[in-house]
Amino acid sequence: MSIDRPARILAEAERLFAVHGFAGTNLSSIASAAGLGNAGLLHHFPSKAVLYRAVLEGIAADLDERNAAAAAVADETVGRLRGLIDAFLSLHRDRPTALLVVAQEFLDRSERIDEARVFPLAGVVRDTVAALDAGQRDGTIPPGDPVAMTAALHGALLFGVLGRGVYTATAGHRPQDWDVEIARRALAGVLVDSEG
């Protein structure tokens, strides 16, 4: 069974946006990668901005779904945070281009954030801030700005998973459980008891 055209366009657009960012990707290259002409692509997505927004919305929906599933089984702060971290890492394992698009979005939008209409990490940011707030109330998270703690946690995860090749090549070794170690270290960075 072949993938439907809009889904194929979205998959190819995500791949190209991940590598080249919004500005560096053109509709012709997306259409060609999806096996279409420009008119075929424009039939489904009338502009690059509409297509890019659909890619971001797809990433956000996927991550939010993973987050909700993880939150449904966690009943305490550390469990919720581990679930959020696992959702983030599972997105990277299953769909590595998604986090590359998110990274490009950080780089492309940092100066134009007021213009942004879709924030692919909005749900996970809200959920992480809420978990950190709850942890501060129950004493498992030290006092501090939960938004800054969220940025540090997500930054460690994003840099860790996307920079693995650079870090391991530079250090000259390849740890077997990189994601496990990155998750443990990121979580330890926000806990009162840093055993994670």
Side-chain angles (χ1 to χ4, degrees), residues 8-9 12-13 16 25-42 51:
R8 181 170 175 91
I9 293 167
E12 293 300 335
L16 291 168
T25 303
N26 62 52
L27 288 177
S28 295
S29 62
I30 296 168
S32 177
L36 301 168
N38 286 355
L41 184 143
L42 293 171
L51 177 56

Side-chain angles (χ1 to χ4, degrees), residues 50-152:
V50 168
L51 177 56
Y52 187 66
R53 182 177 178 146
V55 168
L56 291 177
E57 287 172 345
I59 293 167
D62 190 353
L63 187 54
D64 288 347
E65 185 178 306
R66 291 167 193 264
N67 253 358
V73 298
D75 58 354
E76 39 82 37
T77 300
V78 175
R80 279 187 73 200
L81 289 171
R82 280 191 178 121
L84 291 165
I85 290 168
D86 289 346
F88 194 89
L89 294 174
S90 74
L91 178 68
H92 179 65
R93 280 189 302 274
D94 299 343
R95 192 175 170 183
T97 55
L99 288 185
L100 290 170
V101 170
V102 169
Q104 287 283 359
E105 180 68 358
F106 271 103
L107 297 172
D108 289 348
R109 291 281 184 184
S110 64
E111 295 175 1
R112 299 176 288 129
I113 198 69
D114 292 335
E115 299 171 19
R117 300 289 180 252
V118 179
F119 301 96
L121 294 179
V124 73
V125 167
R126 283 189 297 269
D127 291 347
T128 307
V129 169
L132 291 169
D133 276 336
Q136 288 176 335
R137 287 191 301 276
D138 71 20
T140 56
I141 304 296
D145 180 353
V147 176
M149 293 171 140
T150 296

Side-chain angles (χ1 to χ4, degrees), residues 19 168 180 183:
V19 174
T168 57
V180 172

